[in-house]
Amino acid sequence: QTPDKTQILSQVTKIVLQIQYINFTNQVLTKIMLFVCVSGMNAAVRATVRVGLYTGAKVYFVHEGYQGLVDGGENIRPATWESVSMMLQLGGTVIGSARCKDFLKLGITNLCVIGGDGSLTGANAFRTEWSGLLHDLVRAGRITDEEAKKSSHLNIVGMVGSIDNDFCGTDMTIGTDSALHRIIEVVDAITTTAQSHQRTFILEVMGRHCGYLALVTALACGADWVFIPEMPPDEGWENHLCRRLQDQRARGSRLNVIIVAEGAMSRDGKPISSEQIKKLVTDRLGFDTRTTVLGHVQRGGTPSAFDRILGSRMGVEAVMALLEATPDTPACVVSLSGNQAVRLPLMECVQVTKDVTTAMAEGRFEDAIKLRGKSFENNWNTYKQLAHINPPDVKSNINVAIVNIGAPCAGMNAAVRSAVRMGIIQGHTMLAVHDGFDGLAHGQIEPITWTSVSGWTGKGGSMLGTKRSLPGKMLEEISMNIAKFNIHALVIVGGFEAYVGGLELVQARETYEEMCIPMVVIPATVSNNVPGSDFSIGADTALNTITSTCDRIKQSAAGTKRRVFIVETMGGYCGYLATMAGLAAGADAAYIFEEKFSIKDLEVNVEHLVEKMKTTVKRGLILRNENSNANYTTDFIFNLYSEEGKGIFDCRKNVLGHMQQGGTPTPFDRNFGTKMGAKSVLWLTEKLKECYRHGRIFANTPDSACVLGMRKRALTFQPLADLKGDTDLEHRIPKTQWWLKIRPIMKILAKYNIKLDTSEHADMEHVIKKRSPLGK
């Protein structure tokens, strides 16, 4: 219906006057926030408020979204440091949210906007119309020329909050990872029962226009089939689906899993529902079939560690972007590309997002997949490759061995499973090596099949068995077994020992010709200390364990008040877990080996907590990495804080221990492990072709033994030998670690008066030029 123009003008006028009032009464940069409920959003709110206050700005909450901006009055309130305390573990948004259709149509929003493409498009429209609105208000006598001049320009920076991950330009939107946690919890709970009863299980997840949640869920639980809007199944899919389910049962699988996005459709645009699929499977195959529609449970719950860190990083970047903006700067969104914070022109992202819809409507589904971005495309390609369960008729005569090294961690089994299945798809014979390098030396090697790894994706620990032993003292036995079992390539999944062990095997090539085979190391350790990769499989699961434990610890102080908790985390000499858990849980300090600290630093931290107890936030959280300092032990710090806090606060101590290595893997670790395992075998397959000479494999170049790692924006293969120079072998850490640069954020958010290094800020990039599939 056509809205009433008089009513709209009246509402627009009220909004402009509200913003004018705030700008006029505070001659400083002001940020107003509008929100749609998404888990992890409160981390972004907290970071934006605190960094805004840190820079000297006055920050305001607008309660109840757009409607609050229209109504004004009590809906617009100053945000204080304490008002965003204890927000990190809360789902949704604590300041409320409303979707006012009138204003969505008009595109009215404010300065720091968190929402989907509708909210962000509206923000840009409001910015574009700003000068015209001011002119109208001056002409109507509502404001003076002087007032209009003072607020002649409106800066807008957006953060994307959407569980569907449907905004092009960012790999992950705030809330997506938390939604995946809810979904995987349900999948794990239901599949246990389904396996007992030999069932087919159909799960419908959110995603009316974007299949990201469905696609990643399918990878994370090893689903047999996934239906997503971007890529409808080919005609005759009903026969293909039934064949695949039958094949899986014939292979001994007791469980079939089908994931359906709520917006799934056929090639002719007709919806494909979970009930329709259930009827097909029941009628054609007679399988016991169950459907579960998750609905809004995906939106709720405690935010994951990833979302808290993402929200915090994006909140800081949004404030920086606002401070650096000029009248000529286009409205931008701050987003994530790989592991990098980037700024992208808002309307370019909106345009590409619309192009996806256009491509789907026109039946250009391959284009739609590409337009979603590299992350989505990689997920789709990995799913397609692993879903192809018919091995080639002609075998490659290649034997690929896979081994786990070091301490066990969640996600190892996902990497092994995808490596095994990808190898079988390539025609290779896959060999399982049990109990690490010891097993390779003692001949604990056997073929591993497609069904052997069924259900491994969601299992913690190491199904192959793993040990910390290095190969140096067993090289002769290992070389003999490589020859005996005719091993042509080796996949090593593990932590720092896997990296060092790989180096030792490469160095042994000079003595043992059997070692001249392609090798790849996949980093998998809770410590996240393997050179050549920003992330290791297992670190995300450990981080969530620490974060959820810290939440409970902090909550226990809610009644008693005036309490400080000292928590010791794992990580060896690497402070990744302590730092990132500190950011995710809102710690007051995190002591790590990489950032030296003295008794004076401890004294400053105690004084900080003494001052904090005078505020309404009467609790403290201190994290300490296990090997941060040989003399300032956890007991020492606990005793120091207890002594200095007498009469002001009391202390409690927690050593988290091996619980950080256990548990079922998070969606991130399952997905990351699946992609790493598949990519490693594809790389080995190509490398084997290069190294095939005179009827045998011979690989002795540095680039034939690599670490597969996430570096900034991409998965890359780096020669083990090249990484040695960037390795502190004594302390088992890389010499350069990306996460050290975000440590100051944690301190600023804890209200320490330190300088924020802005020398490395995200430059504005473009996404339109990437639209090659449309031929533009």
Side-chain angles (χ1 to χ4, degrees), residues 16 20 103 203 208 231 233 251 277 285 369 458 470 539 542 601 659 692 724 751 754-755:
V16 174
Q20 288 295 319
F103 289 101
L203 179 75
R208 279 178 295 171
M231 186 59 73
R251 289 168 180 268
I277 300 164
L285 303 177
I369 294 284
L470 292 172
D601 296 308
M659 66 182 288
Y692 186 77
K724 195 173 179 182
K751 211 176 182 179
I754 66 158
K755 187 177 184 299

Side-chain angles (χ1 to χ4, degrees), residues 248 250-253 420-421 424 448-456:
Q248 285 289 64
R251 289 168 180 268
S253 174
V420 166
R421 292 197 167 179
I424 292 169
I448 188 166
T449 64
W450 187 278
T451 50
S452 301
V453 293
S454 289
W456 280 27

Side-chain angles (χ1 to χ4, degrees), residues 496-528:
F496 201 83
E497 291 90 353
Y499 164 74
V500 175
L503 271 177
E504 291 183 1
L505 294 180
V506 170
Q507 289 160 359
R509 284 174 170 178
E510 296 175 9
T511 310
Y512 301 96
E513 195 175 299
E514 293 83 1
M515 304 291 187
C516 294
I517 58 173
M519 306 176 198
V520 62
V521 174
I522 299 176
T525 168
V526 301
S527 302
N528 197 32

Side-chain angles (χ1 to χ4, degrees), residues 341-596:
V342 295
R343 297 179 193 173
L344 303 168
L346 169 59
M347 293 317 293
E348 286 189 18
C349 296
V350 170
Q351 183 58 53
V352 178
T353 304
K354 288 178 178 176
D355 288 344
V356 176
T357 306
T358 304
M360 288 161 59
E362 294 175 357
R364 294 182 289 106
F365 301 113
E366 293 291 344
D367 289 354
I369 294 284
K370 284 185 168 63
L371 285 164
R372 280 284 181 222
K374 274 288 176 193
S375 174
F376 193 98
E377 189 179 2
N378 289 341
N379 284 328
W380 175 251
N381 289 336
T382 304
Y383 162 74
K384 272 201 309 182
Q385 289 159 344
L386 291 173
H388 179 90
I389 62 170
N390 296 318
D393 296 329
V394 180
K395 291 282 186 181
S396 66
N397 295 320
I398 293 292
N399 299 322
V400 179
I402 187 162
V403 61
N404 288 350
I405 305 296
C409 68
M412 268 186 167
N413 297 320
V416 172
R417 172 190 171 274
S418 67
V420 166
R421 292 197 167 179
M422 186 58 76
I424 292 169
I425 289 164
Q426 299 299 309
H428 309 327
T429 297
M430 300 302 292
L431 301 173
V433 180
H434 298 280
D435 297 336
F437 286 125
D438 290 51
L440 195 56
H442 301 141
Q444 294 172 249
I445 304 166
E446 62 179 3
I448 188 166
T449 64
W450 187 278
T451 50
S452 301
V453 293
S454 289
W456 280 27
T457 310
K459 292 185 177 177
S462 166
M463 299 295 287
L464 293 181
T466 182
K467 288 190 175 180
R468 293 179 180 271
S469 312
L470 292 172
K473 297 178 180 178
M474 304 176 277
L475 290 172
E476 188 164 341
E477 294 92 333
I478 288 173
S479 66
M480 288 172 62
N481 278 323
I482 288 175
K484 178 182 175 182
F485 289 90
N486 203 19
I487 295 171
H488 301 109
L490 184 62
V491 179
I492 306 169
V493 183
F496 201 83
E497 291 90 353
Y499 164 74
V500 175
L503 271 177
E504 291 183 1
L505 294 180
V506 170
Q507 289 160 359
R509 284 174 170 178
E510 296 175 9
T511 310
Y512 301 96
E513 195 175 299
E514 293 83 1
M515 304 291 187
C516 294
I517 58 173
M519 306 176 198
V520 62
V521 174
I522 299 176
T525 168
V526 301
S527 302
N528 197 32
N529 63 335
V530 178
S533 190
D534 291 349
F535 296 110
S536 294
I537 297 166
D540 186 70
T541 304
L543 191 53
N544 275 278
T545 300
I546 298 167
T547 303
S548 61
T549 304
C550 288
D551 284 350
R552 292 171 184 172
I553 287 170
K554 285 171 71 178
Q555 194 178 45
S556 74
T560 53
K561 308 288 186 187
R562 301 184 185 281
R563 183 162 286 174
V564 174
F565 294 93
I566 318 288
V567 178
E568 182 186 296
T569 68
M570 272 186 168
Y573 286 96
C574 180
Y576 175 83
L577 287 179
T579 297
M580 300 309 258
L583 188 56
D588 295 282
Y591 300 122
I592 63 169
F593 170 78
E594 293 91 341
E595 195 174 279
K596 305 303 180 191

Side-chain angles (χ1 to χ4, degrees), residues 5 22 39 191 267 513:
K5 292 181 180 178
I22 292 167
S39 275
T191 51
R267 292 263 160 176
E513 195 175 299

Side-chain angles (χ1 to χ4, degrees), residues 676-729:
M676 297 275 269
K679 196 173 181 73
S680 66
V681 171
L682 291 174
W683 178 82
L684 284 174
T685 302
E686 290 304 309
K687 197 56 69 175
L688 284 162
K689 292 174 186 174
E690 292 176 21
C691 301
Y692 186 77
R693 295 189 188 92
H694 311 297
R696 68 191 187 99
I697 303 295
F698 184 78
N700 67 345
T701 55
D703 69 349
S704 63
C706 288
V707 169
L708 170 57
M710 165 68 83
R711 297 308 294 263
K712 293 187 176 178
R713 299 196 186 188
L715 290 174
T716 56
F717 291 90
Q718 301 138 99
L720 282 157
D722 291 358
L723 293 168
K724 195 173 179 182
D726 186 40
T727 306
D728 178 349
L729 286 166

